[in-house]
Amino acid sequence: SQQGEEDPQALSIQEGENATMNCSYKTSINNLQWYRQNSGRGLVHLILIRSNEREKHSGRLRVTLDTSKKSSSLLITASRAADTASYFCATDAGGSRLTFGEGTQLTVNP
Amino acid sequence: DAGVIQSPRHEVTEMGQEVTLRCKPISGHNSLFWYRQTMMRGLELLIYFNNNVPIDDSGMPEDRFSAKMPNASFSTLKIQPSEPRDSAVYFCASTITGANTGELFFGEGSRLTVL
């Protein structure tokens, strides 16, 4: 079964708006990662947050982690049409073996 | 720098045929992963190698699937005989286990269609 579950499954917003995606997981983790996948392409790593961190920023990305609730969120600020993609959270319980969620399909309308 | 290289990018075959997917990880990476992606089941880890040794193959669906890593720069995933339910996109990813970043680098995938 999938460790991570993303919410929502699909999100459609206008360019310039912020997009928030959530991820829940079930077991203890070393870190949680977010990946992006453009249609027909491989996954690309966006950001990693360790289990002892609560928030992390990278450019227009902000990730939060709440280990007590076993949840994480990814915020993309000032979205662009080029941000249209699927976004996956992935949990690392050790040894770099990642378990991926089912993903959120983000559509940013110009 | 070249990323993870997979071949073929697309393969269409008939049920019962043997399929071999290939992967060249990033030079210097010591761990390699094979994932399968379908609409129904999402991304599933099939097998994981560390220093060319299979560490965990619990995700391999059945005996029809086998994977090898004869050296640090090459891995294969073989399906024999193939079945229509094997149709999926197969991804190879590599990383340096123990590195501070922990990120996986994915190839562009091999899209398999079994008729």
Side-chain angles (χ1 to χ4, degrees), chain B residues 7 25 38 49 94:
Chain B
S7 65
T38 60
F49 292 86
S94 69

Side-chain angles (χ1 to χ4, degrees), chain A residues 22-38:
Chain A
N22 302 297
C23 168
S24 60
Y25 58 92
K26 298 174 183 175
T27 63
S28 297
I29 60 171
N30 288 346
N31 65 69
L32 185 144
Q33 304 178 33
W34 286 89
Y35 286 78
R36 165 193 170 126
Q37 184 180 32
N38 285 59

Side-chain angles (χ1 to χ4, degrees), chain A residues 2 31 33 35 37 40-45 48 50 88 92 95-102, chain B residues 9 33 35 37 41-43 45 48 56 58 91 95 97-98 100-104 106-108:
Chain A
Q2 293 289 335
N31 65 69
Q33 304 178 33
Y35 286 78
Q37 184 180 32
R41 306 294 300 274
L43 282 79
V44 176
H45 180 265
L48 177 153
R50 302 192 186 284
F88 295 87
D92 182 354
S96 297
R97 291 186 64 238
L98 296 186
T99 303
F100 285 84
E102 296 179 354
Chain B
R9 288 295 313 277
F33 304 80
Y35 281 87
Q37 186 177 37
R41 299 175 68 87
L43 272 157
L45 176 63
Y48 154 43
D56 183 357
S58 59
F91 287 102
T95 192
T97 301
N100 200 38
T101 60
E103 67 179 285
L104 294 190
F106 280 80
E108 295 286 23

Side-chain angles (χ1 to χ4, degrees), chain A residues 3-69:
Chain A
Q3 163 78 312
E5 296 182 2
E6 280 94 342
D7 167 45
Q9 289 189 331
L11 181 61
S12 181
I13 59 174
Q14 295 300 121
E15 213 165 22
E17 294 180 340
N18 296 340
T20 300
M21 289 160 269
N22 302 297
C23 168
S24 60
Y25 58 92
K26 298 174 183 175
T27 63
S28 297
I29 60 171
N30 288 346
N31 65 69
L32 185 144
Q33 304 178 33
W34 286 89
Y35 286 78
R36 165 193 170 126
Q37 184 180 32
N38 285 59
S39 181
R41 306 294 300 274
L43 282 79
V44 176
H45 180 265
L46 294 175
I47 195 166
L48 177 153
I49 187 165
R50 302 192 186 284
S51 60
N52 61 353
E53 297 176 312
R54 293 296 168 257
E55 186 171 316
K56 202 162 186 180
H57 296 256
S58 177
R60 292 184 297 113
L61 305 180
R62 171 178 170 254
V63 170
T64 62
L65 179 64
D66 187 336
T67 52
S68 66
K69 295 180 179 179

